[in-house]
Amino acid sequence: MPPHASNRRVCRHCDGFCVVAITTGGRHRDGSRVLFRVVCRACQGTGHTASVRIAQAGK
């Protein structure tokens, strides 16, 4: 594994595909498609989940 590889967990909700572009069927004046971009709500578009740590009560 390369030293620059990340150990961050991939988002379970979007499986790492955090932004999706959906075409509306329309076109702009220059001929390009009108797109609607949707971002994953769970990871806010990062593709990774924040590591959740469980707090343990000490004695």
Side-chain angles (χ1 to χ4, degrees):
M1 182 178 279
H4 63 277
S6 175
N7 290 339
R8 296 177 68 184
R9 301 173 92 183
V10 176
C11 178
R12 294 183 340 187
H13 299 277
C14 65
D15 202 26
F17 296 97
C18 52
V19 180
V20 179
I22 302 169
T23 182
T24 61
R27 293 194 179 257
H28 293 288
R29 290 180 187 232
D30 63 354
S32 61
R33 295 185 186 266
V34 177
L35 298 176
F36 181 67
R37 299 186 195 283
V38 180
V39 178
C40 176
R41 289 185 180 179
C43 65
Q44 285 86 32
T46 63
H48 300 283
T49 57
S51 59
V52 178
R53 297 182 187 210
I54 300 173
Q56 296 179 347
K59 291 184 178 182

